[in-house]
Amino acid sequence: GLLSGGNVKFETLAREWLEHTEKLNLIRPRTLDRMKQLQARTYAAIGHLRMDKLTSAHIQRFIDNLAEQGVNKHTGGGLSAKSQKHYLNFISDVFEYAIKNNMVEHNPCRRVDIKNEPSKEKEIYSPEEAQLFLDRLEEKAPMNFRVFFTLALYGGFRRAELLGFEWKDINFDTGVISVVRTSLYTKDRGMFTDTTKTEKSQRSLKLPAEVIDLLRAYKKEQTIERVKLGDKWIDNDRLFTAWNGSPMGHTTPINWLMKFCNQEGLKYITVHGFRHTNASLLISSGTDVKTVSASLGHSNATTTLNIYAHTF
């Protein structure tokens, strides 16, 4: 049941809020999964404090501490501004829950600052590097990864969107591919199908004839494989699958790409780097910001400008 009064400890209320949120399916599974991962560090710092005694100064000290050297065990440095923001959002959401239930009057998170980091240059392919990558894909890559990264480059799709594609999303007559779902992973749920990141992420793109021809050849190859495996094939209509037809794992394209670039002596960029490359190529060819924004499935053109201002 709901707790009353501000004398409850932050950790107690945060756990109740997470349970309440999960039960009513109020936030996306990936966001919920991330919130759960933030618990340990947050509770260790402020979990023992009462909601009515927890001030912006307490929270500011915690956020500042996250930026200190050694906090990030992987890099030895501090957590990024983006990670700090995730922690602040988590604490803020708990306070909003408390306000909603008349436990406290104010949200101290509104007075907490996060130091801006200088924006890093995005790792992308130049037109020449992109062409070289496509050439090597054609020569050396298995059909499934050739199609995956060709679509990534030509369509600027997110990894989850690529993994969520089904054959019914492709109109071979018109050459149009539609983004209608994503394939995601969380520790609790494993692989699962979800809606797109935002409403605007649902979009349709016309692809060049040579990409549609490649998709046609890939569909034929997958059909042969399906017939070969018979009852062992798990039919789900996905473009990108494991050997038995089940959806391809979310780390599989990354692992393959790293190995492929290393073997072929190619510059390695992340899967998301292909999305940035696509945007950069569109912009440098003179495409206007609204068209680029629609193509990438951004919620508005401001988002596109914020990310690619230097390219424009």
Side-chain angles (χ1 to χ4, degrees):
L2 293 176
L3 298 159
S4 58
N7 62 351
V8 64
K9 288 178 181 176
F10 175 83
E11 180 177 345
T12 308
L13 190 65
R15 288 185 184 281
E16 180 175 300
W17 171 74
L18 279 168
E19 193 181 318
H20 172 73
T21 303
E22 187 169 13
K23 192 177 177 182
L24 297 182
N25 200 23
L26 297 176
I27 56 177
R28 290 167 67 86
R30 281 280 291 277
T31 308
L32 182 67
D33 193 52
R34 185 177 64 233
M35 295 284 192
K36 287 179 178 179
Q37 289 169 25
L38 304 178
Q39 289 182 98
R41 192 176 263 143
T42 309
Y43 297 159
I46 62 169
H48 62 288
L49 296 170
R50 280 170 42 167
M51 291 297 293
D52 57 355
K53 303 290 184 187
L54 189 49
T55 67
S56 53
H58 290 123
I59 301 164
Q60 187 71 65
R61 274 198 296 276
F62 171 53
I63 296 298
D64 290 347
N65 175 256
L66 295 175
E68 289 177 8
Q69 293 296 307
V71 175
N72 189 328
K73 289 172 185 173
H74 299 294
T75 65
L79 297 188
S80 67
K82 187 179 180 180
S83 294
Q84 292 169 47
K85 194 173 180 184
H86 287 326
Y87 277 96
L88 185 59
N89 287 344
F90 171 46
I91 300 166
S92 182
D93 285 346
V94 176
F95 266 99
E96 290 301 321
Y97 179 66
I99 291 168
K100 191 178 172 184
N101 288 289
N102 299 314
M103 297 166 74
V104 293
E105 289 182 4
H106 307 290
N107 184 345
C109 294
R110 292 172 190 163
R111 296 189 294 276
V112 175
D113 300 313
I114 294 172
K115 187 181 176 183
N116 281 330
E117 291 175 342
S119 56
K120 293 175 185 172
E121 193 71 28
K122 289 173 176 58
E123 277 289 306
I124 62 170
Y125 281 147
S126 67
E128 295 76 23
E129 287 168 331
Q131 188 56 59
L132 176 62
F133 180 83
L134 286 171
D135 291 343
R136 292 293 172 81
L137 270 187
E138 190 176 351
E139 293 164 17
K140 306 279 184 73
M143 183 64 97
N144 59 343
F145 290 115
R146 186 182 165 196
V147 172
F148 185 96
F149 288 103
T150 299
L151 282 177
L153 203 49
Y154 275 89
F157 303 113
R158 299 174 178 95
R159 176 178 46 152
E161 293 170 348
L162 287 159
L163 291 171
F165 276 136
E166 296 181 0
W167 288 111
K168 60 176 163 285
D169 303 328
I170 302 163
N171 187 322
F172 285 101
D173 296 327
T174 60
V176 170
I177 188 166
S178 299
V179 180
V180 293
R181 78 190 68 74
T182 56
S183 181
L184 299 169
Y185 173 87
T186 67
K187 202 174 174 182
D188 289 348
R189 294 180 61 174
M191 293 286 295
F192 65 97
T193 301
D194 200 7
T195 54
T196 53
K197 191 175 180 183
T198 65
E199 206 176 307
K200 284 283 180 73
S201 295
Q202 294 205 4
R203 62 202 187 278
S204 296
L205 291 181
K206 189 166 175 65
L207 295 170
E210 61 266 29
V211 178
I212 292 296
D213 288 343
L214 182 64
L215 282 162
R216 203 174 270 118
Y218 176 45
K219 191 172 195 294
K220 188 178 177 183
E221 190 176 289
Q222 196 186 80
T223 303
I224 292 166
E225 199 59 33
R226 190 173 72 232
V227 172
K228 251 194 241 175
L229 279 173
D231 293 345
K232 289 179 185 173
W233 182 270
I234 299 162
D235 207 355
N236 56 37
D237 202 41
R238 286 284 160 92
L239 263 70
F240 304 109
T241 67
W243 68 273
N244 62 349
S246 62
M248 182 182 278
H250 73 298
T251 60
T252 303
I254 306 166
N255 296 335
W256 182 86
L257 180 64
M258 288 175 81
K259 193 175 173 185
F260 182 71
C261 289
N262 189 41
Q263 283 175 348
E264 297 300 315
L266 296 166
K267 180 170 107 178
Y268 170 76
I269 62 172
T270 62
V271 176
H272 207 72
F274 283 81
R275 181 170 164 80
H276 293 318
T277 300
N278 171 271
S280 178
L281 293 172
L282 284 174
I283 293 162
S284 58
S285 69
T287 308
D288 67 276
V289 65
K290 280 193 173 179
T291 306
V292 175
S293 182
S295 176
L296 293 172
H298 284 157
S299 49
N300 53 58
T302 309
T303 305
T304 314
L305 277 171
N306 287 341
I307 300 170
Y308 300 108
H310 66 290
T311 318
F312 279 106

